[in-house]
Amino acid sequence: MTNKALIIGTGSIAKKHVINLHALKYKTYIYSSTKNKINLENKKVELNYIYDLKNLKDYDFAILANSTNKHINILNYLVDNKIHTYCEKPINNKIFNHNSLRKKIVKKKILVFIGYQLLQHKIIKYLKKKIDKKRILSFNFEVGHDLTKWRTGKQGKNRYFMNQSKGGGVIFELIHEVNLIQNLIGKIDYVKTLKKKSNKKNNFEDLAVSVIKIKNIIGSLNQDMVSPVYYRKIKILNKKKLFIFDMANNTLQINDKIIKINNSKDSYQNLLKKNLQFFIRLIKKKDTNMKYFDQSINDLKTAIKMHS
């Protein structure tokens, strides 16, 4: 491997990837079709900008961190050039010819990995291991925070997460929870979603509440881009136990017992780094498993249903 990485995009998530790649001793090259730049407080981090997507074989992999509605065109190009790709979630904001892309990925023998870093959290891994899906009765997932404070930088309508046509809005922006539900509980069979705009001037929906059914399991999902206070909770009830994971306050409750969690290794930045390291290990092992791509398509299809 050359220890060279390509990042496509210059937003807040691209900035976080630059910091992690620097820590992992990668020389990073940044491409932006708009020729925007990344502002870093740490001046020791080297920033190299390129203005075309030529000589792609020089890179070990690419990170796709531009606006969601631009993912597929560039992803197709990267796959055509046999470049392993870490694609930020969601993979797209509308249904596309994913079967054709899938066949091409398999033929080129490359890895397309999706940026669901919450799967790297030690408590998520614990729940996945300990909870027997066959015994689950019900579940509730909820997440909320004011993304205008979470993602600083560009103002107002220029921020794509506030533009539904570019893949923004609460359902796509907070799709992590859809992915977590399908990983911890099972593939969603039925979903019905109520949505609203907290401000009539917005061109995106920032509140959504969904009723979900997975086989005989009933559940709900609350997504919120308005709350001034960050919250993120998972409740799973089975025949003998209630699990409540409060990610914002770092507690895990199992029935009456509440456990305080040391969050030092599971901060947002560290989870992103862990996910990137996992991706790199897969490349080194030549593991091109299609399950990551396939799961992203299941998540996309569910998100589309939630929008309908």
Side-chain angles (χ1 to χ4, degrees), residues 107 150 187:
K107 183 178 179 180
W150 182 268
K187 186 177 179 181

Side-chain angles (χ1 to χ4, degrees), residues 287-299:
D287 184 345
T288 57
N289 197 312
M290 291 300 297
K291 67 180 180 181
Y292 309 105
F293 177 84
D294 293 340
Q295 183 60 63
S296 74
I297 300 304
N298 284 335
D299 297 335

Side-chain angles (χ1 to χ4, degrees), residues 90-112:
I91 192 168
N92 201 30
N93 64 325
K94 57 186 177 182
I95 296 297
F96 63 99
N97 191 349
H98 54 86
N99 288 325
S100 175
L101 178 56
R102 191 186 194 283
K103 289 177 183 177
K104 188 160 53 174
I105 294 168
V106 172
K107 183 178 179 180
K108 299 287 185 177
K109 297 180 181 179
I110 62 165
L111 175 65
V112 173

